[in-house]
Amino acid sequence: FEFCEPSFVTGNCLEISPDCTQYDRVYCGAGVQKEHEDYMKNLLKVGGILVMPLEEKLTKITRTGPSAWETKKILAVSFAPLIQPNHSDSGKSRLVHLPPVAVRSLQDLARIAIRGTIKKIIHQETMSKNGNGLKNPPRFKRRRVRRRRMETIVFLDKEVFASRISNPSDDNNNCEETEDERREEEETKPSELKPDPPVNFLREKVLSLPLPDPLKYYLLYYREK
């Protein structure tokens, strides 16, 4: 994303304006008819790579020169074919104008490279501090089994007597359960204090560098939203 922000254009790929720029990488996600093979290949720069389904084969085409291509069949596939251009009533096709390629300035490219290097350093420092990267390993709690009191109904002739028979160990278990419940409530009770905001390690690292303030602010600037 830092290298090239994506942009999207709606239209038929077989109606691209002839004055559009050529590209380093082109991928087509629909079956290309044989008569459109040269059209797709001409979208490449010299050294560019095109991947497209051609004649039921996923094909990789590399442009090795102004009029030279290297073709490699990768594997058998089945894709829906490209939709043919739908000409308007006047008979003219609707040309698709792709966005121009804007080359970044050397200053902008240097900023991206510096930020990437600082991110790698922060990641390495974090991994070395945390070992495998797990700050807080998961805790396995002992499952507490609740013991229910046993109620018994005794039938004597025509009279019914209901009694409650308790386990002798219930008193001790009840104390233990009460203590366990209190601990669980303390653990699950949300903290009254607000959680600390996440730390922006990249910002702190840039601000700690021995650089002029304008350069620090430039490194911290990413992109206007």
Side-chain angles (χ1 to χ4, degrees), residues 187-198:
E187 291 177 359
T188 58
K189 184 179 179 181
S191 176
E192 295 180 357
L193 300 176
K194 293 183 179 180
D196 295 333

Side-chain angles (χ1 to χ4, degrees), residues 114 206-216 219:
I114 294 172
V206 171
L207 292 176
S208 64
L209 296 175
L211 299 173
D213 289 341
L215 182 54
K216 291 181 182 180
L219 290 174

Side-chain angles (χ1 to χ4, degrees), residues 27 112 136 213:
Y27 170 75
I112 294 173
N136 297 319
D213 289 341

Side-chain angles (χ1 to χ4, degrees), residues 112-122:
I112 294 173
I114 294 172
R115 285 172 57 93
T117 303
I118 296 175
K119 286 181 179 179
K120 290 181 181 178
I121 294 173
I122 294 173

Side-chain angles (χ1 to χ4, degrees), residues 12 17 26 47-48 56 78 104 139 152 197 216 221:
N12 192 306
S17 176
V26 176
E56 302 298 323
S78 179
R104 291 182 179 273
R139 294 176 56 190
T152 305
K216 291 181 182 180
Y221 166 77

